[in-house]
Amino acid sequence: MTVNGPADAVRDYYDDFADHYVPGWRSIQYYGPLVADFLLRAVTPECRVLEIGCGPGQLTRDLAPDVAVTGTDVSPQMLAAARAGRPQGRYELLDLHDPVPAAWGRFDVVLAVGCLEFCRDLTATLANLAAACAPGARLLVGAVEDRSVGTGRREFSADGLPGIDMHCYDAGVQLAAVTAAGLSPWTYRYVPAWRHEEYSYVVRYGLWELRRD
């Protein structure tokens, strides 16, 4: 795990309300059903699933017992909640900017939704995920996209969580990151992600289904 200011701030923020995360998440998020649909189509018996930024593990908790789930997060308290919800899963501290250790093996399904708003380098992060994939792996990733501003990457910390670096990417940057990582885009959707209650607006994702050929 990388020890740095941004990662520490995210860790402390999520540690503070880990016990109350799931009820609050249910009230503001829109992407849960989209993730569930993807998992229903992508997960097969005895496959290996990697969830980056898993939080308390609510997205993968109810997968079949024969599915091997590995979840990563920067928050120890979130990982503890995930472990309690799926004791047979593997839950590890990992900054999403760091490579997935090769010793963990390769994964058939990779999920990175609800976390890439904290990603400073989308190309490098997607390359790390691609390196963790088995051939033919299927991925679902969601990056914050704001079409009201110009192109490229920009910070939206002032609109996001005070004191925590958050980033959004335009669709062109997202596609360039996908292809640079050696991944094949299968579908792209511009969808509501979660509602920012303090500022009363809806954050939207560029939501990608990808393949590792």
Side-chain angles (χ1 to χ4, degrees):
M1 175 184 172
T2 298
V3 179
N4 54 38
D8 289 348
V10 174
R11 177 201 63 204
D12 294 344
Y13 179 84
Y14 283 102
D15 272 351
D16 284 346
F17 77 108
D19 292 340
H20 308 287
Y21 178 86
V22 172
W25 172 83
R26 285 174 176 159
S27 72
I28 67 169
Q29 64 80 35
Y30 298 97
Y31 59 80
L34 301 175
V35 173
D37 173 71
F38 167 77
L39 293 174
L40 183 65
R41 292 182 286 106
V43 172
T44 57
E46 300 184 354
C47 77
R48 305 187 73 239
V49 175
L50 173 65
E51 183 180 2
I52 300 296
C54 68
Q58 78 279 7
L59 295 175
T60 54
R61 180 172 298 167
D62 296 327
L63 292 177
D66 66 340
V67 174
V69 174
T70 296
T72 73
D73 207 280
V74 295
S75 165
Q77 295 303 316
M78 287 291 195
L79 292 173
R83 195 173 292 112
R86 189 180 176 92
Q88 73 271 36
R90 176 178 183 171
Y91 297 98
E92 302 281 354
L93 283 169
L94 186 76
D95 188 317
L96 59 79
H97 298 94
D98 292 342
V100 177
W104 295 2
R106 295 292 174 260
F107 297 89
D108 307 298
V109 176
V110 176
L111 191 62
V113 178
C115 61
L116 293 182
E117 41 263 55
F118 305 112
C119 177
R120 301 183 302 274
D121 188 337
L122 188 61
T123 300
T125 293
L126 292 185
N128 289 336
L129 297 187
C133 288
R138 300 175 67 171
L139 305 89
L140 184 70
V141 303
V144 173
E145 182 176 332
D146 185 352
R147 294 183 174 180
S148 68
V149 298
T151 60
R153 184 199 79 169
R154 76 173 181 94
E155 295 185 10
F156 72 113
S157 299
D159 300 330
L161 302 176
I164 295 179
D165 289 339
M166 302 178 75
H167 309 274
C168 61
Y169 298 84
D170 72 17
V173 170
Q174 294 172 49
L175 179 59
V178 165
T179 56
L183 298 168
S184 297
W186 282 62
T187 67
Y188 159 83
R189 287 177 287 177
Y190 182 59
V191 299
W194 46 273
R195 186 177 69 254
H196 193 304
E197 292 191 311
E198 183 177 356
Y199 295 96
S200 300
Y201 74 92
V202 174
V203 176
R204 300 181 70 91
Y205 280 161
L207 190 69
W208 299 79
E209 287 193 36
L210 309 170
R211 300 286 175 92
R212 177 60 164 165
D213 294 333

